[in-house]
Amino acid sequence: MSRAITPQAKAINTGLAWSVALLIAFPILWTVLTSFKPEPQAVASPPIFLGFDWTIQNYIDVQDQRAYFRYFVNSVVISIGSTLLGLIIAVPAAWSMAFVPGARTKDLLMWMLSTKMMPAVGVLVPIYLIFIRLGLLDTRIGLTVVLMLINLPIIIWMLYTYFKEIPADILEAARMDGAGLREEILYVLTPMAVPGIASTVLLNIILAWNESFWTINLTTVNAAPLTAFIAGFSSPQGLFYAKLSAASTMAIAPILIMGWFSQKQLVRGLTFGAVK
């Protein structure tokens, strides 16, 4: 029997939840507010929270200095492209590990996950040289492949977890009805794992969108995404906090909007199979 929650306890829990949420979201809120400040007020001490002269000039200056739309298109193409390419590889890999496991399947999964613990700078030089040799430096294709590879272990791990929750008897029934491997994956397994696949896609897009190390080191102009767009406002002449905040707001706005509208699907997928 569940324990009754008093109105006082509910109010306290709600207040604590809102306090934690505000604390977590405060850096984003401060960045957005700073983007509407004149530069002198953006660096004022003590900081000015609300009583400042609101302006959109920073956004105009940012757009005049760098074409936002070009960086935005690069981010969309690279993040979505790396996600789709990762799914093409990860779905069959996760299927085989979940339903046809070998003696070393768990060791292989742990090895793939361990590659995420390696510092990216440790492989920067060889990848940079490979990109120069193959002509992939500052190209969308090259950056898409790199982001797919660095996020592939997470995609496989998440899909493997979701696939393990699907009863093998369903796949056996499909095989008895004459389904081949292709039909089994496309028409039986994939539809049943839609919540897990959707959350995997959303998480990978967020990871690819926010990746800065590889995007800054492997691009210059043509394939530079929004992370490079933000970095461009840090110059030897100094940091212009208002313009930098405007650039940051323009870069994070699309992913924040997507996350807001897809949060239910994301939570549902991340908790898929957790409660039986």
Side-chain angles (χ1 to χ4, degrees), residues 171-240:
L171 299 183
E172 290 290 343
R175 292 168 190 162
M176 293 179 63
D177 290 338
L181 178 60
R182 177 176 173 273
E183 290 77 16
E184 179 183 329
I185 294 178
L186 290 180
Y187 302 117
V188 181
L189 182 66
T190 302
M192 294 185 66
V194 165
I197 294 176
S199 65
T200 302
V201 168
L202 292 172
L203 181 61
N204 191 77
I205 289 177
I206 292 172
L207 292 174
W209 190 281
N210 293 333
E211 175 61 39
S212 60
F213 179 82
W214 293 109
T215 56
I216 292 175
N217 284 286
L218 297 180
T219 63
T220 52
V221 178
N222 297 328
L226 287 172
T227 47
F229 171 76
I230 298 173
F233 287 89
S234 175
S235 64
Q237 288 76 26
L239 287 173
F240 299 94

Side-chain angles (χ1 to χ4, degrees), residues 260-276:
W260 177 264
F261 285 105
S262 60
Q263 57 182 318
K264 290 184 178 180
Q265 185 66 37
L266 184 60
V267 172
R268 180 187 176 193
L270 291 175
T271 57
F272 181 73
V275 181
K276 295 185 179 292

Side-chain angles (χ1 to χ4, degrees), residues 107-273:
D107 295 336
L108 180 60
L109 285 167
M110 290 303 301
W111 174 79
M112 286 191 299
L113 192 61
S114 69
T115 60
K116 293 293 296 179
M117 305 175 189
M118 180 178 62
V121 70
V123 292
L124 173 61
V125 173
I127 289 182
Y128 191 86
L129 295 177
I130 291 172
F131 267 51
I132 293 177
R133 182 66 62 88
L134 298 179
L136 295 175
L137 201 63
D138 197 22
T139 63
R140 292 176 179 175
I141 295 176
L143 202 54
T144 298
V145 172
V146 166
L147 295 186
M148 180 274 294
L149 291 175
I150 65 175
N151 291 326
L152 188 61
I154 295 178
I155 302 177
I156 293 177
W157 257 96
M158 292 183 68
L159 293 180
Y160 169 79
T161 303
Y162 303 137
F163 289 171
K164 286 289 288 183
E165 298 297 329
I166 298 176
D169 295 342
I170 296 178
L171 299 183
E172 290 290 343
R175 292 168 190 162
M176 293 179 63
D177 290 338
L181 178 60
R182 177 176 173 273
E183 290 77 16
E184 179 183 329
I185 294 178
L186 290 180
Y187 302 117
V188 181
L189 182 66
T190 302
M192 294 185 66
V194 165
I197 294 176
S199 65
T200 302
V201 168
L202 292 172
L203 181 61
N204 191 77
I205 289 177
I206 292 172
L207 292 174
W209 190 281
N210 293 333
E211 175 61 39
S212 60
F213 179 82
W214 293 109
T215 56
I216 292 175
N217 284 286
L218 297 180
T219 63
T220 52
V221 178
N222 297 328
L226 287 172
T227 47
F229 171 76
I230 298 173
F233 287 89
S234 175
S235 64
Q237 288 76 26
L239 287 173
F240 299 94
Y241 289 105
K243 294 181 178 61
L244 184 61
S245 297
S248 299
T249 302
M250 294 171 70
I252 66 176
I255 206 70
L256 285 178
I257 295 172
M258 187 193 76
W260 177 264
F261 285 105
S262 60
Q263 57 182 318
K264 290 184 178 180
Q265 185 66 37
L266 184 60
V267 172
R268 180 187 176 193
L270 291 175
T271 57
F272 181 73

Side-chain angles (χ1 to χ4, degrees), residues 86-98 156 159 163 181 185 189:
L87 283 179
I88 293 174
I89 300 173
V91 169
W95 173 88
S96 63
M97 293 179 182
I156 293 177
L159 293 180
F163 289 171
L181 178 60
I185 294 178
L189 182 66

